[in-house]
């Protein structure tokens, strides 16, 4: 922790504070990811026939599809909440690992989008790791 002095009063700033441009870039990435997850979730929550067919092929059925859709929506909202965004990114990493694995097996030519989304949520999860740790420490109290 570093200490700076301004007009006779001491204020502390974290030594790990990221530059403003990085913070803005991270929030832009989180908003874009939230939009991606909302767009991915809507067909699942609305039981779009194409989504139903895909989840039937996986053996998860309509119930599995709706659960995944609501998890994506919840994660999209949580990515926009400062206190929850790190934990949301970690949870979305788990979803995207599954989505990428399924895409590799069933539609290898289409793997680029879920793989890039996975990388993006990994970046957010890593950048927000201290926030996530602080949230989890607060829950233990």
């Amino acid at each position: 922790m570093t200490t700076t002095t301004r007009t006779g009063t001491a204020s502390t700033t974290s030594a790990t504070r990221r530059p403003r441009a990085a913070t803005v870039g991270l929030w832009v990435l989180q908003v874009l990811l939230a939009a991606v997850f909302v767009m991915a979730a809507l067909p699942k929550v609305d039981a779009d026939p194409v989504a139903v067919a895909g989840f039937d092929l996986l053996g998860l059925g309509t119930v599995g599809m709706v659960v995944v859709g609501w998890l994506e929506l919840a994660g999209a909202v949580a990515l926009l909440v400062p206190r929850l965004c790190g934990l949301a990114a970690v949870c979305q990493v788990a979803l995207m690992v599954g989505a990428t694995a399924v895409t590799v097996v069933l539609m290898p030519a289409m793997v680029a989008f879920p793989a890039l989304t996975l990388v993006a949520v990994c970046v957010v999860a890593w950048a927000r790791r201290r926030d996530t740790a602080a949230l989890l420490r607060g829950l233990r109290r």
Side-chain angles (χ1 to χ4, degrees):
M1 187 165 279
T2 61
T3 303
T4 59
T5 305
R6 291 187 193 140
T7 62
T9 61
S11 66
T12 58
T13 58
S14 174
T16 59
R17 178 173 261 164
R18 68 178 61 88
R20 182 171 172 79
T23 300
V24 170
L26 188 58
W27 276 106
V28 167
L29 180 59
Q30 287 173 219
V31 169
L32 291 173
L33 283 168
V36 165
F37 284 117
V38 167
M39 290 188 312
L42 290 178
K44 296 173 184 110
V45 172
D46 288 340
D48 181 84
V50 174
V52 171
F55 275 80
D56 282 342
L57 180 65
L58 294 172
L60 295 176
T62 305
V63 173
M65 176 189 65
V66 171
V67 167
V68 169
W70 281 108
L71 289 173
E72 289 172 338
L73 278 177
V77 171
L79 278 170
L80 303 176
V81 177
R83 200 153 177 83
L84 300 176
C85 60
L87 184 59
V90 170
C91 294
Q92 296 296 49
V93 165
L95 277 176
M96 290 313 302
V97 165
T100 303
V102 166
T103 305
V104 164
V105 171
L106 298 179
M107 302 173 285
M110 305 290 287
V111 75
F113 189 74
L116 288 174
T117 305
L118 173 59
V119 169
V121 294
C122 285
V123 167
V124 173
W126 181 80
R128 299 288 186 191
R129 68 192 181 281
R130 289 182 185 92
D131 299 332
T132 304
L135 175 65
L136 295 177
R137 275 193 307 273
L139 292 175
R140 284 190 221 148
R141 293 182 193 182

